[in-house]
Amino acid sequence: MSASASDQLFARAQQLIPGGVNSPVRAFRSVGGAPFFTRSAQGATLTTVDGRELVDFVCTWGPAIHGHNHPRIKAAIADALERGTSFGTPNPYEVEMAELIVSFFPSVQKVRMCSSGTEATMSAVRLARGFTKRDKIIKFAGCYHGHSDSLLVAAGSGALTHGYPDSAGVPAAFARETVVLAFNDPAALDAAFAANPGQIAAVILEPYIGNVGFIRAEPGFLQHVRAATARAGTVLIFDEVMTGFRLSRGGVQELEHIVPDLTCLGKIIGGGLPVGAFGGRAEIMDHLAPLGLVYQAGTLSGNPLALAAGIAQLRLLDEVKPYARLDALGSQVCAAAAAAAKAKGLPLQTPQCGSMFSLFFNENPVRDMPTALASDAKLFGRFFRACLDGGVYLPPSAYEAWFLSTAHEGPAIARACDVITDAIAGL
Ligand code: HOZ
């Protein structure tokens, strides 16, 4: 039997690209099998280079909230393309995007664009350190904030998936400046502040975690974090790269009525093109160069194509008001999976908020990294492969969130629920 087009590409890729992929989770190592290569994506569907059509629950890891290749976003990119691909000077899209972000996120008074979520979180941490003149930061185990040195400690996402939550190559001296705490544990936060008086520059967190699977903050936790950081003069950074514009118009901070000092954004604001942003209180943001002494820069920052796509995507959000519909779709998938697991006698947790959720094969509720790691990841791998065989693509890791788009409404969701139900029944 001749190798599939995906297998042939993967063989070539492995010769030249470490692991054959440009981002580790895509290698399928924790779920088994070889990755497929995508030829095109439309609506809720990925088409592989072998011509298979898959219902996509990854949505390019969050950005495709209106589905893949939406005509309005395509048109905005095409229009911007007529004017050029990159200018290296200020451009009008940057002002329009800043106005939009500030209108969606009232906590953001000033914002700077960059090219990825990693840049956004890395820069926000540097800014918090420059602003407070302190070195230490607090992060929570399992939260993933991209791959800069200070933040790649007890990290989720691919780092956790492949068993290296503390990456090699991060100097111990850097890691010592990062205090790692359990998520959803207010007492641990109080103890860390008591042990490091006047030393904590920032607390950074995914307010609902998307990178150890999906985990919601328990009632009162984020409010506790806000009060403790305010008392300590510590900058509170919400990493809403995944949750921003996705769980509500104004992210988790809107749902939980919290005003963080800084917010990191990405994914949806690029409409599928590379982008990131960080913003917050003007008093803090004005410490950035050229006004202040904290340096941050980027040749492709404010890229006109990425911002044209993102502006179209945000305007569309306000037109279609998708959040109730997305929540109903998420509930439908979780309910179908829960019913199948109950019928099969398998323990399953289905934490969900709107269009983000996870399926954990676990007896107990998942509230932090240790409880997530107590899930049956091997069983998830079998479930993943059964779904893929049935034409449904899930995140290829037990420790990543699933994403939905408005394009999943109708036949796609019905087909996916049937495949998920059959896959669980066959475990
Ligand atoms: N770290 C990303 C999700 N948490 C994965 C990105 C990718 O592989 O494209």
Side-chain angles (χ1 to χ4, degrees):
M1 204 172 77
S2 63
S4 70
S6 276
D7 287 346
Q8 289 176 32
L9 281 166
F10 194 45
R12 285 167 57 198
Q14 284 174 290
Q15 300 299 314
L16 301 168
I17 304 170
V21 292
N22 284 313
S23 193
V25 181
R26 300 180 194 177
F28 282 21
R29 289 203 165 203
S30 70
V31 290
F36 62 84
F37 282 60
T38 300
R39 181 172 65 207
S40 62
Q42 191 67 46
T45 306
L46 296 180
T47 302
T48 73
V49 290
D50 294 289
R52 287 194 72 204
E53 295 199 340
L54 305 172
V55 179
D56 177 24
F57 280 101
V58 180
C59 291
T60 186
W61 300 95
I65 193 165
H66 304 295
H68 292 285
N69 214 12
H70 191 284
R72 280 271 293 277
I73 296 169
K74 259 167 71 174
I77 297 170
D79 181 62
L81 193 54
E82 288 300 313
R83 297 161 225 268
T85 56
S86 175
F87 307 138
T89 71
N91 71 66
Y93 297 107
E94 294 173 290
V95 184
E96 193 176 348
M97 177 57 92
E99 287 167 351
L100 273 173
I101 291 175
V102 167
S103 75
F104 278 57
F105 281 75
S107 71
V108 176
Q109 296 171 331
K110 288 195 174 177
V111 61
R112 170 138 315 157
M113 304 305 301
C114 50
S115 297
S116 69
T118 289
E119 282 181 55
T121 52
M122 176 185 75
S123 306
V125 166
R126 183 180 309 133
L127 177 58
R129 285 174 161 152
F131 174 71
T132 58
K133 302 190 173 50
R134 302 173 183 176
D135 289 342
K136 284 192 192 303
I137 60 166
I138 289 175
K139 80 175 283 288
F140 294 89
C143 284
Y144 175 76
H145 306 290
H147 54 91
S148 65
D149 285 345
S150 293
L151 295 168
L152 210 48
V153 183
S157 190
L160 183 64
T161 299
H162 297 115
Y164 305 106
D166 305 302
S167 173
V170 175
F174 288 20
R176 270 197 296 278
E177 303 297 338
T178 303
V179 178
V180 180
L181 303 179
F183 192 70
N184 273 328
D185 186 347
L189 183 70
D190 293 344
F193 274 119
N196 299 278
Q199 295 176 62
I200 307 294
V203 170
I204 184 167
L205 76 171
E206 293 180 88
Y208 292 175
I209 309 182
N211 279 292
V212 66
F214 184 68
I215 301 180
R216 290 181 79 138
E218 290 171 356
F221 177 64
L222 296 173
Q223 290 72 12
H224 187 95
V225 175
R226 177 62 284 187
T229 46
R231 264 195 313 274
T234 292
V235 175
L236 176 58
I237 306 173
F238 268 23
D239 175 351
E240 297 231 42
V241 168
M242 280 188 174
T243 53
F245 308 97
R246 177 163 271 286
L247 298 190
S248 78
R249 200 176 175 278
V252 176
Q253 53 195 265
E254 178 180 284
L255 297 176
E256 296 268 357
H257 311 289
I258 305 270
V259 181
D261 300 304
L262 294 177
T263 298
C264 300
L265 299 166
K267 297 199 188 271
I268 281 180
I269 55 169
L273 274 69
V275 89
F278 60 104
R281 271 166 52 202
E283 180 200 3
I284 303 176
M285 292 300 291
D286 284 348
H287 278 67
L288 280 178
L291 294 182
L293 299 179
V294 178
Y295 198 71
Q296 183 276 339
T299 296
L300 294 175
S301 295
N303 176 265
L305 298 187
L307 295 199
I311 288 166
Q313 171 118 300
L314 296 188
R315 295 212 178 284
L316 206 49
L317 279 179
D318 264 354
E319 276 172 46
V320 301
K321 300 185 179 22
Y323 299 107
R325 288 158 56 195
L326 289 169
D327 189 50
L329 291 174
S331 302
Q332 191 181 342
V333 177
C334 290
K342 191 164 176 216
K344 179 78 181 171
L346 281 174
L348 186 72
Q349 305 294 327
T350 58
Q352 179 227 347
C353 179
S355 59
M356 283 178 78
F357 53 95
S358 280
L359 268 54
F360 291 105
F361 292 102
N362 196 320
E363 299 276 358
N364 302 306
V366 174
R367 58 188 299 270
D368 54 16
M369 188 165 92
T371 46
L373 288 175
S375 309
D376 191 335
K378 281 213 169 67
L379 193 62
F380 181 88
R382 281 171 49 207
F383 170 60
F384 170 89
R385 290 194 300 280
C387 287
L388 191 57
D389 289 346
V392 173
Y393 176 53
L394 314 179
S397 161
Y399 311 121
E400 296 280 5
W402 303 28
F403 295 94
L404 279 165
S405 74
T406 50
H408 284 73
E409 272 179 330
I413 205 82
R415 184 174 145 218
C417 285
D418 286 348
V419 169
I420 288 166
T421 299
D422 289 350
I424 291 176
L427 288 175

